[in-house]
Amino acid sequence: MAQARPMRADARRNYERLLQVAAEAFAEHGENASLERIARRAGVGAGTLYRHFPTRHALLEAAYVDRIEALGRRADELAQRLPPGEALTEWLHELCVATIQLRGMKALLGAAVADGGAAAATACGTAVQGAAGRLVAAARAQGAVRADLEPIELLRLAHGVATASELANRRGEEIRRYLTLLTEGLRP
Amino acid sequence: MAQARPMRADARRNYERLLQVAAEAFAEHGENASLERIARRAGVGAGTLYRHFPTRHALLEAAYVDRIEALGRRADELAQRLPPGEALTEWLHELCVATIQLRGMKALLGAAVADGGAAAATACGTAVQGAAGRLVAAARAQGAVRADLEPIELLRLAHGVATASELANRRGEEIRRYLTLLTEGLRP
DNA sequence: ACCTGAACACCGTTCAAGT
DNA sequence: ACCTGAACACCGTTCAAGT
């Protein structure tokens, strides 16, 4: 998405500053961090925040889109280094860690795999659904996962595993265990 | 928990009215429903709400504790009618449906299986952890589930499955599918 | 013993006035 | 073209005053 016209210098400065402060605020307080405080800490008026980011979700997405896209690239790195089944498992683990680590990330990743329509169009939705699609296709071709497994449902289940791990503690210590239970199933 | 002294008639009336309005409000708007509006709709001052329910969570728990305890009894009904493995699966399904159905329920059930310590002491924690404990023990004795499966982690994973299903839609149509994936595992 | 509702602090969001 | 900050509505929470 190339910027048609470059932003005015002061606007650009405010924009960057808002993103930086927002990333911290969302990481610490979650998706409901106070927007008014973000504006204040960034040294801009409330109106400036709303001009750059018309909705809370727009700010949240802008604040974390880099990390999400890095996760997308990470999928391909893992696909090169590891057999398809292991690459998938390892990527899911990193996805879950990211989900828990920054408090605001959970809402963002949730929205990125919600519902179907609108989510897939966002940058985060594209990155994460694309990555999962490639990893699942490769794993399926090798017979490492069941043939009827859809990438989108796997992403939702991974979000569920992250949620479950978060209920145990915020440190993510249970992620491996819960991911193993999901992969292997509950039967003996 | 027997009431040491019965409440004064007006207090009792306010208490009941608050619970009723709160149950509707939480069901519709989720756990963050406006407390001030609940008080207003119940026709009481804000102070009265806080007197009866010192925290938002206390009100949420009081509003839904009946339903949660019914779910606990339901576990034993199912255990009588069905083989242990099926009873467990069916109960998990009903638990997930309940989790999604009333918007406020998710936060309550989440808290009931969070973290260990404080949760187990609440009425909801006791009911739900007790039920899961009995069902898992029976299923384990029959070899229907893996021997190392802890009730608490199963409850957390079920909460994750409910979360995953909610990402697909609020109608719970995906619950069976996601529960099957969890039970059977992701491998072919 | 219990209730009311004003009071305070804080926040989301908009918009007239500025540069 | 962009910014500021006052203004409005709404909410959580407390507490003095009532009955």
Side-chain angles (χ1 to χ4, degrees):
Chain A
M1 263 211 295
Q3 197 77 21
R5 298 245 204 112
M7 281 167 126
R8 222 170 68 178
D10 55 345
R12 169 126 220 111
R13 219 168 23 239
N14 285 336
Y15 183 90
E16 304 284 10
R17 188 109 184 78
L18 277 166
L19 275 191
Q20 192 184 319
V21 173
E24 287 170 36
F26 286 133
E28 192 173 357
H29 304 291
E31 54 159 341
N32 291 316
S34 160
L35 297 183
E36 192 240 10
R37 246 158 72 159
I38 290 174
R40 209 166 36 202
R41 279 193 47 188
V44 305
T48 302
L49 186 152
Y50 282 92
R51 156 172 279 263
H52 287 297
F53 309 100
T55 66
R56 174 181 295 276
H57 195 265
L59 179 56
L60 183 59
E61 172 146 8
Y64 288 140
V65 68
D66 286 354
R67 254 175 221 264
I68 305 258
E69 285 177 347
L71 218 43
R73 290 189 300 275
R74 180 71 177 144
D76 299 318
E77 274 178 45
L78 290 168
Q80 281 188 347
R81 293 209 210 320
L82 299 171
E86 289 172 43
L88 180 58
T89 305
E90 186 51 28
W91 187 72
L92 289 176
H93 183 258
E94 295 187 14
L95 178 67
C96 288
V97 169
T99 304
I100 294 191
Q101 200 165 261
L102 290 325
R103 282 181 164 282
M105 203 62 103
K106 207 177 152 209
L108 181 55
L109 284 169
V113 298
D115 190 45
T122 65
C124 294
T126 308
V128 90
Q129 289 189 36
R134 298 190 297 278
L135 290 171
V136 167
R140 200 146 55 173
Q142 295 268 326
V145 295
R146 43 195 298 169
D148 66 348
L149 184 67
E150 296 290 341
I152 189 71
E153 58 190 13
L154 180 58
L155 283 171
R156 287 176 188 148
L157 283 167
H159 197 262
V161 163
T163 303
S165 308
E166 204 179 11
L167 289 170
N169 63 65
R170 291 203 53 76
R171 275 157 285 140
E173 288 155 355
E174 307 292 324
I175 294 175
R176 291 257 188 231
R177 165 74 177 160
Y178 293 170
L179 226 34
T180 302
L181 288 174
L182 173 64
T183 305
E184 296 182 359
L186 303 181
R187 296 209 232 276
Chain B
M1 258 208 300
Q3 199 75 22
R5 297 245 207 116
M7 283 168 124
R8 222 169 67 176
D10 56 345
R12 171 124 218 113
R13 220 168 20 240
N14 286 335
Y15 183 90
E16 304 284 12
R17 189 109 183 78
L18 278 167
L19 276 191
Q20 192 184 319
V21 173
E24 287 170 35
F26 287 132
E28 191 173 357
H29 304 291
E31 55 160 338
N32 292 316
S34 160
L35 296 182
E36 193 238 10
R37 246 157 73 158
I38 290 174
R40 209 167 34 200
R41 279 192 49 185
V44 305
T48 302
L49 187 153
Y50 283 92
R51 157 173 278 262
H52 287 297
F53 309 101
T55 67
R56 174 181 295 275
H57 195 266
L59 178 56
L60 184 60
E61 173 145 8
Y64 289 140
V65 68
D66 286 354
R67 254 174 220 265
I68 305 257
E69 285 178 346
L71 219 42
R73 290 189 300 274
R74 180 70 177 146
D76 300 318
E77 274 176 46
L78 291 169
Q80 282 188 347
R81 293 207 210 323
L82 299 170
E86 290 173 42
L88 179 57
T89 305
E90 186 52 27
W91 187 73
L92 289 176
H93 182 259
E94 296 188 14
L95 178 67
C96 288
V97 169
T99 304
I100 294 191
Q101 201 165 257
L102 290 324
R103 283 181 164 283
M105 202 63 101
K106 208 178 151 206
L108 180 56
L109 284 169
V113 298
D115 191 44
T122 65
C124 294
T126 308
V128 90
Q129 290 190 35
R134 298 191 296 278
L135 290 171
V136 168
R140 199 148 53 177
Q142 294 267 324
V145 296
R146 40 196 299 167
D148 66 348
L149 183 66
E150 296 288 342
I152 188 72
E153 57 191 12
L154 180 57
L155 284 171
R156 287 177 188 147
L157 282 167
H159 197 263
V161 164
T163 303
S165 309
E166 204 178 9
L167 289 171
N169 62 66
R170 289 202 55 75
R171 275 157 286 139
E173 289 155 354
E174 307 292 324
I175 294 176
R176 292 257 188 229
R177 165 75 176 161
Y178 293 170
L179 225 34
T180 302
L181 288 174
L182 173 63
T183 306
E184 296 183 359
L186 303 181
R187 297 210 234 275

